[in-house]
Amino acid sequence: MGKIIVVGGGAAGMMAAITAARNGHKVTLLEKNEKLGKKLFITGKGRCNFTNAGDYDDLMRSVVTNSKFLYSAFSKFSNYDTMSFFDELGLVFKVERGNRVFPTSDHSSDVIHVLTRELQKLEVNILLHCKVINVVAQDNQFQYIEYQDSSGKKGKLYGDKVVLATGGKSYQSTGSSGDGYRFAKDLGHTITPLIPALVPFTIAEEWEKQLQGLSLKNITAYFFDDKELIYSGFGELLFTHFGVSGPIILSASSYISAAAHKSNLKMIIDLKPVLSFEKLDERVLRDFDEEKNKSFKNALDRLLPKKLIPVIVELSGINPEKKVHAINREERLRLVKLIKNLAMTITGTRGFEEAIITQGGVTVKEINPATMESKVVKGVYFAGELIDVDALTGGYNLQIAWSTAYAAASNL
């Protein structure tokens, strides 16, 4: 039996504490917040998409950064193991579109409840309102952590090994302030650049503000750095007061956030991806033939969402009052091209407070992928978002948390 310290009471921290306690260790879990799982509580808009029921290839394809590092962790504790784990804890869950797995109740609190109940059953010592200030090592060996309790009193907690599961910098209101990066750096680890990911984009075009609240479904978006296509996606996009969000945008951000902070990128939206240019032109011709006595601004209702029409009319350069029968071929083709190629300039991303995850972290080169132990300091282990690994939405990032935490706690 070893004396194990787990820093962080989120998804990775709770899994690490449970696994370590099940293996016979005496475990102390420290959490700076007033309760466990504060970020987990808001995950999936409060519904908690805690894993994905896809196959192994789906899992690996969905990891954006350093997927090879996760081979061992995913093999030891897969998404199917996660579902079995929660099933054994008594959580009833369901599989929805995209193989996303949620508690049947749609309440993230149920996920936190079963984890907390198991921690208590295993007699894990849970210290809430307890902020870790420093992680101390001597001669490249972990010794103790320094902490401060809710009253401001400072103390030291000695242990044989420590699991750092402090989370990233995203959703800082939940306590994810990036402390773990400082601990790791002070221990001699390299931290790769930290970037908001799974995050909305800011847009340069002023007309975008007119579209606030508009959701476009079944569109394709292409993202270019100069003339190089970086990413493309099909699905839903949402216009906001600052730019764009929605599933396509969040997924794209994982691939292009770093570039978005360096230079302006272009996003091209195909509003009618199922129609070729020629087919769309035929469709417009039919609509115009049926609406030939209407003014141009009133003739697009069948083709586009109402809120989008004034913007398209303006960008087309066609006189809004011009009768449809008077629109010439050149103007019509210009309209078709615009609908297939609505261009926007990406100026950056929103900050960590709106980012679902953090991209970057403790470099995987300095972590043993089989055990999650530091290669720099013995007795120090990492789990979850603190590590430089991240994935797309769909339950994959939480799966990374479960798998890395299990790998760490299984090798203490």
Side-chain angles (χ1 to χ4, degrees):
M1 179 186 287
K3 191 176 179 182
I4 306 301
I5 299 169
V6 178
V7 182
M14 287 189 280
M15 174 61 84
I18 288 170
T19 305
R22 284 180 172 181
N23 289 339
H25 297 294
K26 184 178 180 181
V27 182
T28 299
L29 173 62
L30 297 95
E31 168 55 51
K32 71 163 100 172
N33 285 314
E34 75 284 0
K35 59 185 177 182
L36 299 175
K38 200 164 183 180
K39 185 176 177 183
L40 198 57
F41 184 73
I42 62 172
T43 301
K45 297 180 180 177
R47 297 176 61 219
C48 195
N49 174 198
F50 65 88
T51 190
N52 191 284
D55 60 25
Y56 186 81
D57 289 340
D58 289 334
L59 199 60
M60 293 307 301
R61 275 195 301 267
S62 298
V63 178
V64 176
T65 308
N66 295 319
S67 60
K68 290 181 180 178
F69 174 80
L70 293 168
Y71 280 158
S72 179
F74 282 165
S75 296
K76 288 178 181 176
F77 197 82
S78 70
N79 48 338
Y80 298 110
D81 293 321
T82 297
M83 287 184 278
S84 295
F85 169 81
F86 279 104
D87 183 53
E88 290 169 9
L89 292 186
L91 181 72
V92 183
F93 53 84
K94 59 186 176 180
V95 180
E96 294 189 359
R97 179 180 56 83
N99 287 320
R100 289 168 164 83
V101 184
F102 295 89
T104 301
S105 65
D106 285 330
H107 293 147
S108 57
S109 55
D110 287 351
V111 177
I112 299 166
H113 172 70
V114 297
L115 291 168
T116 304
R117 187 177 63 197
E118 185 68 4
L119 288 165
Q120 293 168 343
K121 176 185 171 184
L122 293 165
E123 298 182 349
V124 171
N125 182 26
I126 301 171
L127 302 179
L128 300 176
H129 288 294
C130 202
K131 182 178 180 180
V132 174
I133 302 168
N134 200 11
V135 178
V136 180
Q138 292 176 357
D139 300 322
N140 295 324
Q141 176 72 48
F142 169 69
Q143 299 295 321
Y144 61 90
I145 59 113
E146 297 175 339
Y147 68 90
Q148 184 176 35
D149 64 21
S150 57
S151 66
K153 183 181 177 181
K154 294 183 179 179
K156 294 179 181 178
L157 184 63
Y158 287 82
D160 299 312
K161 295 175 181 179
V162 64
V163 180
L164 298 180
T166 55
K169 290 187 72 174
S170 60
Y171 287 129
Q172 295 181 14
S173 60
T174 64
S176 300
S177 55
D179 293 341
Y181 301 122
R182 177 173 59 82
F183 301 152
K185 190 174 182 180
D186 289 347
L187 289 169
H189 278 276
T190 305
I191 310 300
T192 61
L194 305 175
I195 301 166
L198 298 181
V199 64
F201 290 134
T202 53
I203 297 295
E205 284 73 15
E206 282 297 316
W207 52 259
E208 184 277 331
K209 293 180 175 61
Q210 300 175 45
L211 302 178
Q212 181 179 344
L214 174 64
S215 176
L216 297 177
K217 296 180 179 179
N218 301 320
I219 58 103
T220 298
Y222 302 91
F223 300 85
F224 293 89
D225 186 356
D226 195 13
K227 293 181 180 179
E228 181 186 357
L229 178 65
I230 305 176
Y231 179 80
S232 66
F234 175 85
E236 186 176 350
L237 177 148
L238 174 68
F239 290 98
T240 68
H241 65 286
F242 56 78
V244 286
S245 187
I248 288 179
I249 300 302
L250 298 183
S251 293
S253 72
S254 285
Y255 292 94
I256 69 175
S257 280
H261 286 83
K262 296 174 185 175
S263 61
N264 288 349
L265 306 176
K266 284 290 182 184
M267 175 175 67
I268 306 295
I269 300 175
D270 184 347
L271 296 166
K272 298 292 180 182
V274 297
L275 297 177
S276 66
F277 188 95
E278 292 73 22
K279 290 293 184 183
L280 181 57
D281 186 33
E282 291 173 10
R283 164 77 187 275
V284 172
L285 267 171
R286 287 198 305 272
D287 286 358
F288 278 8
D289 188 53
E290 293 176 16
E291 310 274 7
K292 53 189 172 187
N293 292 319
K294 285 189 175 181
S295 58
F296 175 52
K297 67 179 183 181
N298 296 323
L300 299 175
D301 289 347
R302 297 181 183 180
L303 196 62
L304 299 168
K306 191 173 183 180
K307 205 167 191 176
L308 184 59
I309 291 172
V311 170
I312 294 296
V313 168
E314 180 186 349
L315 295 176
S316 72
I318 301 170
N319 185 341
E321 304 300 333
K322 190 171 187 177
K323 297 298 182 183
V324 168
H325 64 77
I327 292 176
N328 61 39
R329 182 176 182 274
E330 181 184 344
E331 290 173 323
R332 190 187 74 246
L333 293 179
R334 195 161 70 228
L335 170 65
V336 173
K337 184 178 180 180
L338 177 61
I339 293 171
K340 297 287 288 181
N341 297 272
L342 180 61
M344 308 178 80
T345 306
I346 299 169
T347 56
T349 69
R350 299 293 275 181
F352 281 107
E353 190 53 48
E354 294 180 44
I356 295 175
I357 59 163
T358 305
Q359 200 167 65
V362 181
T363 180
V364 298
K365 295 176 182 177
E366 297 167 0
I367 302 173
N368 183 323
T371 66
M372 298 297 145
E373 185 176 14
S374 166
K375 294 179 179 179
V376 178
V377 180
K378 291 181 180 179
V380 174
Y381 296 74
F382 298 98
E385 197 175 344
L386 186 57
I387 306 169
D388 183 18
V389 286
D390 61 273
L392 301 177
T393 57
Y396 300 109
N397 287 290
L398 272 177
Q399 185 56 50
I400 290 174
W402 311 130
S403 295
T404 54
Y406 182 86
S410 295
N411 289 280
L412 297 171

